[in-house]
């Protein structure tokens, strides 16, 4: 399953920490994480609720800033980037999908996908064409004008995936993409992600579904209390 | 994001919340409409008064009046200066004075063929043909010299005399009948001869050289205009009180004019000329001074009206700020999504500023329309009353381009100001919080 993965490092996180001060107590959502992600890799992350998986993805996606540690990418150190550079990193390098889809409710499927190209200064007509093409690729050619409310959960998540992939990012961050979906929809989403990965894309997927992680990922890591606790839970690994 | 994207997004967002957007925009509409209708009134008065002043070249015109004796330095009657031909010569020699002529306005009965009408006659120099009001006549031309027996008629008078086509009047003879004092009868009366009429009529024949259709509101010329030289040849009685009549009858004609009109070559000499006349012992009345005063009064009026509109706009801007803050709360997650897709603070700020600018723009444009409608209604009402009072129709409002642009710039500017705080607040949205699943 790991034919396309090469040995070039896409990003490296070292001693990554994210602490929240909550009154007098300190919540260590992330507490010293080291991670190497290779280009073309499909990485699965599992772990109990509250173990810091979302926190890690938000840091890697440049949405959040770490309390300590560094994230090195081909574009440079994320913690050295000013807010505008970081926004640019999010616009060009990273696609994100979430358990709750995070679609804009008043925009059509096409409008939502197009949104990812607004900040890349893609002209209107090309934006439309690219978005329609991407929606066709995830099997929604006949749902372009539907509002999220008029789509099933699986369809909404496919719109979200189309939005994340339309700009052809270096990295796809999926935070429990199938958390709200049934088995068939889960399977379909898994297919799309694996497909994109086979085309050379790098995926980091957080999930509670160990079977899904094992079925799709090259490597599966477990988080606990803000750290990685075991290397490789994939089909051939520990446990 | 391109400007077009921003504007499209803003319109989309406003369109989605139709009622709320409409109410917010209504605030701007009211403010701008108030501001525009009020300033349009100020601009209208200014323009129309200035225009009619200019048409009669009143800015370079002074009226010279005799100074009442009580005002002169002593009881010595020698200081009382009569406005006679000597005075005219003296005044003409003041540097900067272009011409001086006596004010002669009197009542005549005009006869054109069989038809007759009472009207007032005004004597003007031939140079008045250069004034804006007389430059474009309905038909014919202004009289050629100060002494020819030619007359220019208002079209309105011509109609009263039974002629509707101005061209057909040209070259026709008009008879002016004046009242004069019959000196023989007066003397005869004094000798005790009974039954003598102290008044007689005099007839003068003029040729119609031009027809005027004046649409000017105030300060419009009289219905019949004749050259000053020709008027001086005429005998007539003109008085505003029985005592003035008594004066004329007892002193005979030629005792001096009630006032002189004096034209200045360059308006920059206005003040110097006025002071020189004053030094010669005459009183002056200056239209330029009067206009300056009127304008000062109008400016205060305008400012007061502007304040009302401004207050309305301040209230409207609070409405805009409120709408935008509410919109931020509703679109909290959307802002997070935009940020995750690569929007930076500047993009987010622009998005909300664009929305306030669109609110301001739509409000200003609609406000202009409403303001204009208000002025039309006010004009119609004022026109009705003016017509009832016999005042010639006068346009009270003016909506010049500078006022239109000012309204839009102001409406958009105030809205942008109102959007400043909300747009800053929108940039503060934490995408991690906003995207967390419910
Ligand atoms: N803004 C915050 N303030 C305080 N604590 C926070 C904040 N955000 C996250 N945390 C805490 O950080 C820890 C890690 O949260 P995170 O969302 O990363 O967990 P997770 O592994 O994604 O859990 P789940 O599987 O339920 O999504 C949790 O204990 C959470 O309560
Ligand atoms: Mg999570």
């Amino acid at each position: 399953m790991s034919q396309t993965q090469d040995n070039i490092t896409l990003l490296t996180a070292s001693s990554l920490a994210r602490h929240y001060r909550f009154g007098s107590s300190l919540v260590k959502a992330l507490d010293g994480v080291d991670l190497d992600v290779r280009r073309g890799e499909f990485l699965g992350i599992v772990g109990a609720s509250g173990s810091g998986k979302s926190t890690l993805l938000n840091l890697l996606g440049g949405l959040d800033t770490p309390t300590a540690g560094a994230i090195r990418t081909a574009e440079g150190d994320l913690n050295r980037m000013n807010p505008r550079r970081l926004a640019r990193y999010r616009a060009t390098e990273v696609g994100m999908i979430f358990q709750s889809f995070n679609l804009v409710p008043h925009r059509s499927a096409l409008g939502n996908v197009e949104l990812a190209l607004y900040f890349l200064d893609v002209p209107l007509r090309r934006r439309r064409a690219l978005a329609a093409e991407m929606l066709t690729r995830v099997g929604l050619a006949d749902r372009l004008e539907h509002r999220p409310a008029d789509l099933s959960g699986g369809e909404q998540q496919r719109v979200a995936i189309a939005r994340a992939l339309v700009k052809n990012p270096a990295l796809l961050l999926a935070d429990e993409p199938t958390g709200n979906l049934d088995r068939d929809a889960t399977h379909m989403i898994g297919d799309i992600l694996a497909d994109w990965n086979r085309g050379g894309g790098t995926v980091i997927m957080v999930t509670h579904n160990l079977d899904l992680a094992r079925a799709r990922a090259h490597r599966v890591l477990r988080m606990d209390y803000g750290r990685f606790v075991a290397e490789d839970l994939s089909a051939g690994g520990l446990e | 994001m391109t400007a077009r994207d921003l504007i499209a997004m803003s319109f989309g967002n406003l369109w989605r919340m139709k009622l709320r957007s409409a109410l917010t925009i209504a605030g701007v509409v009211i403010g701008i409409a108030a501001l525009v209708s009020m300033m349009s009134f100020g601009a209208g008065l200014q323009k129309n008064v200035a225009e009619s002043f200019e048409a009669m070249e009143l800015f370079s015109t002074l009226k010279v009046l005799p100074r009442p004796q009580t005002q002169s330095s002593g009881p010595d009657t020698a200081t009382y200066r009569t406005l006679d031909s000597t005075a005219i010569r003296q005044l003409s020699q003041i540097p900067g004075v272009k011409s001086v002529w006596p004010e002669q306005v009197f009542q005549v009965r005009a006869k054109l063929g069989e038809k007759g009408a009472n009207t007032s006659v005004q004597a003007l120099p031939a140079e008045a043909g250069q004034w804006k009001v007389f430059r474009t006549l309905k038909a014919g031309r202004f009289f050629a010299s100060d002494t020819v027996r030619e007359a220019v008629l208002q079209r309105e008078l011509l109609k009263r005399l039974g002629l509707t086509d101005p061209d057909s009047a040209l070259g026709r003879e008009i008879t002016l009948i004046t009242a004069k004092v019959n000196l023989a009868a007066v003397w005869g009366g004094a000798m005790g001869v009974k039954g003598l009429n102290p008044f007689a009529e005099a007839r003068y024949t003029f040729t119609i050289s031009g027809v005027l259709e004046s649409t000017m509101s105030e300060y419009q010329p009289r219905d019949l205009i004749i050259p000053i030289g020709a008027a001086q040849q005429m005998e007539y009685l003109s008085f505003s009180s029985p005592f003035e009549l008594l004066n004329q009858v007892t002193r005979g004609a030629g005792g001096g004019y009630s006032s002189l009109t004096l034209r200045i070559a360059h308006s920059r000499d206005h003040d110097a000329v006025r002071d020189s006349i004053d030094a010669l012992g005459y009183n002056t009345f200056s239209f330029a001074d009067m206009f300056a005063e009127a304008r000062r009064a109008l400016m205060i009026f305008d400012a007061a009206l502007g304040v009302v509109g401004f207050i309305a706009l301040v209230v409207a801007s609070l409405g805009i700020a409120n709408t935008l803050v509410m919109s931020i709360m509703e679109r909290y997650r959307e802002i997070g999504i935009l940020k995750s897709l690569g929007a930076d603070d500047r993009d987010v700020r622009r998005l909300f500023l664009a929305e306030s600018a669109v609110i301001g723009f739509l409000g200003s444009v609609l406000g202009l329309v409403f303001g204009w409608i208000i002025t039309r209604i006010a004009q119609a009402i004022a026109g009705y009353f003016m017509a009832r009072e016999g005042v010639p129709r006068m346009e009270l409002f003016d909506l010049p381009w500078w006022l239109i642009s000012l309204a839009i710039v102001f409406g958009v500017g105030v809205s942008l100001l109102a959007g400043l705080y909300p747009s800053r607040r929108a940039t503060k949205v934490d995408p991690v919080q906003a995207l967390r699943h419910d």
Side-chain angles (χ1 to χ4, degrees):
Chain A
M1 203 190 274
S2 56
Q3 310 87 341
T4 57
Q5 132 176 218
D6 53 39
N7 274 323
I8 299 170
T9 302
L10 184 75
L11 69 80
T12 307
S14 44
S15 315
L16 207 57
R18 179 67 168 95
H19 297 172
Y20 290 102
R21 194 160 288 286
F22 208 77
S24 57
S25 66
L26 191 69
V27 180
K28 297 181 173 178
L30 220 57
D31 192 22
V33 165
D34 294 297
L35 178 69
D36 257 312
V37 182
R38 273 155 289 161
R39 202 166 72 189
E41 182 178 18
F42 195 136
L43 175 66
I45 297 175
V46 294
S49 186
S51 57
K53 309 180 294 293
S54 296
T55 305
L56 175 64
L57 285 198
N58 288 334
L59 287 172
L60 297 180
L63 274 184
D64 197 1
T65 40
T67 313
I71 300 166
R72 268 176 275 283
T73 73
E75 312 296 304
D77 262 14
L78 292 196
N79 39 329
R80 294 245 174 82
M81 289 182 184
N82 64 26
R84 289 205 47 198
R85 279 279 294 117
L86 205 57
R88 184 92 199 138
Y89 168 77
R90 293 196 296 265
T92 58
E93 305 300 315
V94 190
M96 292 183 96
I97 55 178
F98 306 88
Q99 178 178 347
S100 47
F101 317 133
N102 279 323
L103 297 175
V104 179
H106 54 82
R107 289 185 155 255
S108 66
L110 194 70
N112 266 283
V113 177
E114 255 189 77
L115 216 46
L117 302 171
Y118 269 73
F119 308 102
L120 295 171
D121 295 329
V122 179
L124 182 75
R125 293 186 61 181
R126 178 141 178 77
R127 210 157 66 196
R128 288 264 154 85
L130 285 172
E133 188 192 315
M134 203 63 217
L135 282 166
T136 307
R137 271 176 63 182
V138 297
L140 292 175
D142 53 351
R143 297 282 192 282
L144 301 187
E145 295 307 327
H146 283 54
R147 298 284 155 106
D150 301 328
L151 295 171
S152 74
E155 287 167 339
Q156 288 186 53
Q157 193 60 296
R158 280 187 276 157
V159 173
I161 294 174
R163 188 177 66 188
L165 297 184
V166 70
K167 59 192 173 187
N168 197 23
L171 178 65
L172 178 69
L173 301 174
D175 193 350
E176 290 198 47
T178 60
N180 284 342
L181 304 179
D182 66 10
R183 271 190 50 200
D184 286 352
T186 298
H187 193 77
M188 191 168 204
I189 299 300
D191 277 350
I192 294 171
L193 297 187
D195 216 43
W196 187 71
N197 173 246
R198 266 194 295 279
T202 311
V203 182
I204 303 178
M205 180 177 70
V206 162
T207 179
H208 280 124
N209 186 338
L210 186 58
D211 290 340
L212 175 71
R214 280 185 163 152
R216 305 292 183 179
H218 302 129
R219 184 160 65 118
V220 180
L221 301 176
R222 179 190 290 281
M223 281 195 89
D224 213 358
Y225 295 108
R227 291 163 189 261
F228 284 120
V229 291
E231 186 69 28
D232 210 1
L233 296 172
S234 59
L238 303 171
E239 201 183 37
Chain B
M1 287 183 94
T2 63
R4 195 176 141 178
D5 290 340
L6 283 172
I7 291 168
M9 268 190 166
S10 303
F11 270 101
N13 283 327
L14 293 175
W15 184 244
R16 221 157 17 85
M17 300 288 173
K18 287 177 201 61
L19 181 62
R20 189 168 68 193
S21 304
L23 291 175
T24 310
I25 290 170
V28 182
V29 171
I30 292 168
I32 292 291
L35 213 61
V36 161
S37 57
M38 289 161 178
M39 287 187 71
S40 158
F41 180 58
L45 281 188
Q46 169 116 1
K47 182 185 166 212
N48 291 310
V49 174
E51 221 166 57
S52 46
F53 267 52
E54 231 159 63
M56 293 288 279
E57 310 239 325
L58 291 179
F59 287 117
S60 47
T61 302
L62 283 173
K63 265 204 184 312
V64 182
L65 305 156
R67 181 169 291 169
Q69 272 164 295
T70 48
Q71 244 177 280
S72 64
S73 42
D76 185 3
T77 46
T79 57
Y80 177 81
R81 315 295 298 269
T82 316
L83 292 174
D84 51 16
S85 48
T86 320
I88 292 178
R89 219 173 306 122
Q90 204 179 16
L91 288 166
S92 316
Q93 275 152 19
I94 295 173
V97 172
K98 193 167 151 198
S99 52
V100 182
W101 68 88
E103 168 83 12
Q104 297 173 85
V105 175
F106 51 94
Q107 297 296 314
V108 298
R109 180 153 183 84
K111 284 201 87 167
L112 186 71
E114 289 304 297
K115 287 252 190 179
N118 290 337
T119 184
S120 62
V121 173
Q122 179 175 21
L124 286 175
E127 66 168 71
Q130 301 304 311
W131 300 355
K132 207 164 142 197
V133 252
F134 301 125
R135 241 179 272 155
T136 48
L137 296 179
K138 193 79 190 163
R141 50 163 181 81
F142 209 68
F143 37 78
S145 83
D146 287 349
T147 49
V148 284
R149 285 279 185 98
E150 286 180 345
V152 174
L153 273 71
Q154 285 270 16
R155 176 133 194 229
E156 203 267 323
L157 171 63
L158 207 58
K159 279 182 191 152
R160 281 199 281 143
L161 290 169
L163 273 187
T164 41
D165 177 20
D167 285 305
S168 69
L170 298 180
R172 286 192 60 175
E173 300 214 315
I174 185 166
T175 306
L176 306 185
I177 304 165
T178 63
K180 65 169 187 176
V181 179
N182 187 352
L183 282 178
V186 172
W187 292 123
M191 311 293 248
V193 183
K194 302 265 185 230
L196 290 173
N197 188 351
F199 300 110
E201 56 171 53
R203 286 169 176 265
Y204 303 94
T205 310
F206 282 76
T207 307
I208 297 174
S209 74
V211 177
L212 172 70
E213 185 152 50
S214 167
T215 52
M216 288 302 150
S217 43
E218 287 173 88
Y219 304 106
Q220 56 180 354
R222 303 297 168 127
D223 282 349
L224 220 163
I225 300 147
I226 57 171
I228 39 170
Q232 256 148 15
Q233 309 289 312
M234 292 166 73
E235 278 187 79
Y236 60 85
L237 282 173
S238 174
F239 55 92
S240 53
S241 76
F243 300 105
E244 208 178 311
L245 173 66
L246 191 68
N247 228 14
Q248 284 180 39
V249 171
T250 50
R251 275 199 301 170
Y257 302 103
S258 58
S259 70
L260 301 179
T261 305
L262 185 146
R263 298 253 295 120
I264 302 159
H266 299 287
S267 49
R268 62 179 139 81
D269 295 331
H270 172 276
D271 290 2
V273 170
R274 186 191 54 203
D275 294 344
S276 305
I277 299 168
D278 199 56
L280 284 174
Y282 303 106
N283 278 357
T284 53
F285 175 81
S286 155
F287 291 98
D289 287 349
M290 190 184 106
F291 184 74
E293 196 138 303
R295 190 161 58 180
R296 218 170 300 129
L298 279 181
M299 261 163 70
I300 294 167
F301 185 60
D302 247 15
L305 297 176
V307 165
V308 174
F310 186 76
I311 290 171
L313 267 186
V314 168
V315 174
S317 73
L318 295 179
I320 294 173
N322 178 55
T323 295
L324 289 179
V325 169
M326 263 171 71
S327 159
I328 289 169
M329 294 196 272
E330 288 164 4
R331 281 151 69 193
Y332 192 68
R333 180 176 290 263
E334 184 182 338
I335 296 168
I337 293 169
L338 292 178
K339 284 192 165 186
S340 79
L341 292 174
D344 61 23
D345 286 358
R346 203 181 52 169
D347 291 320
V348 174
R349 188 164 43 234
R350 276 187 188 166
L351 206 61
F352 281 85
L353 284 178
E355 221 156 287
S356 26
V358 168
I359 290 173
F361 182 76
L362 291 178
S364 308
V365 170
L366 286 175
L368 274 164
V369 172
F370 271 86
W372 180 78
I373 291 171
I374 291 169
T375 66
R376 290 304 88 199
I377 294 170
Q379 176 71 43
I381 294 170
Y384 169 77
F385 282 107
M386 284 193 277
R388 224 177 53 170
E389 300 293 322
V391 180
R393 202 194 137 75
M394 173 179 175
E395 183 59 52
L396 293 175
F397 300 93
D398 185 33
L399 195 55
W401 280 110
W402 66 261
L403 184 51
I404 293 174
S405 346
L406 187 81
I408 291 176
V409 167
F410 201 62
V412 172
V414 167
S415 305
L416 280 176
L417 228 56
L420 228 47
Y421 166 72
S423 69
R424 269 182 64 91
R425 213 172 123 160
T427 65
K428 300 272 189 287
V429 169
D430 174 10
V432 175
Q433 289 289 339
L435 294 170
R436 174 163 297 165
H437 62 256
D438 353 76

